[in-house]
Amino acid sequence: MTVGVIFRLLAVMLLWASCFPLITLGLDLVPHLAFAAMRASLAGFCLILIGLLFRRPIPRSGRSWALITLVGFGATSLGFLGMFHAAEFVSPGLATVIANAQPLLAALLAHAVLKEKLTAFGKLGLITGFAGISAIAWPGLAAGTEPDYALGITYIVLAATGVSIGNIAIKRLTGEADVVMAMGFQLLIGAVPLMFLSIFTEDISALTWSADFVLILGVLAIFGSSLAFWLWFTALENVELNRANAFTFLVPIFGLVIGSTLFDEQLVWPQAIGIVLVLAGIFFVQHGVRGKVSIQ
């Protein structure tokens, strides 16, 4: 693995870890779903533009478009719906940890849908990881001081489930469509339900077109989505997926550092133990699934 590939992978993990903090900062400036729809749309247009500039082929078959639509509904519609609502109720660092437990859900779905075998080591990882999520969520649920905390956890699980569904569809898309164009179109398709939900349920006039909002939206869409995706797949051209996936352990760590620095986020000991269990569970799952699914 070259220094350039390592740098790209580290950049991707930092960009992904920055998403929840940036969403939290932007929620006071724009309705949730409008924010999500704008991020998805802008990111999708950027990826399609990149694909056109590099003469990437547009998907042709009906099967490819059906899978792209499924990715859009899962990873973007459900994923962004959960992510943007969760940021209102759960601190960014903890949200990043729980959301990046996606390999656990992906392993379950791959086992059920793709018939991928889960070894005893992988099953241990699932048990360990879900125990860690429970430990992270328990202090807030037990305290009862934040009535919407449980709702926030539910939204995070919804987001992780949606992304996992999208990953299963992406697995099916392998070799059938250009990755950059497929992801660009899925973002645009996934933005449509978010847009309609926003129109019918939110007060769009509450949108504040300020320099702060434009900056946050641009960083989330262009850097947190388009650039991160581009760097991720260019890195995968030069390194095995399993080795690249090992870097995803850094996302929760980066997220916690950002949360403690910008939001004065404090962890109690059950949550610290839970974070260790989640990371251990992801490690066990990644080494206990035959024919692994990408967790991104």
Side-chain angles (χ1 to χ4, degrees):
M1 188 181 298
T2 66
V3 174
V5 171
I6 293 174
F7 176 79
R8 273 176 278 177
L9 289 171
L10 289 174
V12 170
M13 303 312 143
L14 182 59
L15 289 170
W16 276 331
S18 303
C19 288
F20 268 111
L22 286 171
I23 291 171
T24 300
L25 292 173
L27 288 180
D28 292 334
L29 306 174
V30 60
H32 298 54
L33 296 176
F35 193 5
M38 285 187 283
R39 176 192 175 185
S41 300
L42 181 56
F45 279 122
C46 288
L47 281 173
I48 291 173
L49 178 60
I50 290 172
L52 292 175
L53 289 175
F54 284 87
R55 300 180 182 275
R56 297 294 184 94
I58 296 175
R60 301 290 184 185
S61 71
R63 171 183 163 85
S64 294
W65 280 107
L67 289 171
I68 288 170
T69 301
L70 180 58
V71 176
F73 174 75
T76 299
S77 297
L78 292 181
F80 281 21
L81 173 67
M83 186 183 301
F84 279 74
H85 278 308
E88 182 179 2
F89 307 116
V90 181
S91 59
L94 292 182
T96 302
V97 173
I98 299 174
N100 280 278
Q102 296 164 13
L104 307 177
L105 293 171
L108 283 175
L109 289 173
H111 178 69
V113 178
L114 301 180
K115 306 304 180 184
E116 294 183 351
K117 293 184 178 180
L118 193 64
T119 66
F121 204 51
K123 292 176 182 177
L124 174 62
L126 290 178
I127 295 172
T128 304
F130 285 118
I133 293 175
S134 299
I136 292 170
W138 177 251
L141 296 174
T145 56
E146 298 181 52
D148 292 325
Y149 186 83
L151 181 60
I153 297 296
T154 302
Y155 276 128
I156 296 175
V157 174
L158 174 66
T161 302
V163 172
S164 297
I165 292 171
N167 283 335
I168 298 298
I170 289 174
K171 178 77 171 181
R172 300 281 194 180
L173 263 173
T174 302
E176 292 193 21
D178 177 76
V179 176
V180 173
M181 296 299 282
M183 285 302 295
F185 280 113
Q186 73 86 3
L187 281 162
L188 290 182
I189 292 171
V192 173
L194 296 172
M195 179 184 66
F196 279 106
L197 281 173
S198 176
I199 291 173
F200 290 111
T201 63
E202 296 178 330
D203 180 11
I204 306 300
S205 64
L207 170 61
T208 304
W209 283 105
S210 63
D212 288 342
F213 171 66
V214 172
L215 177 62
I216 291 171
L217 176 63
V219 172
L220 269 175
I222 298 173
F223 293 93
S225 296
S226 299
L227 178 60
F229 179 83
W230 178 258
L231 290 173
W232 173 249
F233 278 93
T234 56
L236 290 183
E237 291 176 350
N238 299 285
V239 66
E240 298 87 350
L241 177 59
N242 293 342
R243 296 182 67 191
N245 273 344
F247 282 77
T248 60
F249 290 101
L250 296 173
V251 177
I253 297 173
F254 287 156
L256 289 169
V257 171
I258 293 172
S260 62
T261 302
L262 298 181
F263 298 90
D264 195 27
E265 190 172 345
Q266 302 294 325
L267 297 177
V268 296
W269 67 266
Q271 292 173 326
I273 293 175
I275 290 166
V276 174
L277 290 175
V278 167
L279 294 177
I282 294 172
F283 175 82
F284 291 153
V285 166
Q286 287 190 347
H287 289 78
V289 178
R290 296 169 184 165
K292 303 174 184 65
V293 179
S294 169
I295 64 173
Q296 303 310 325

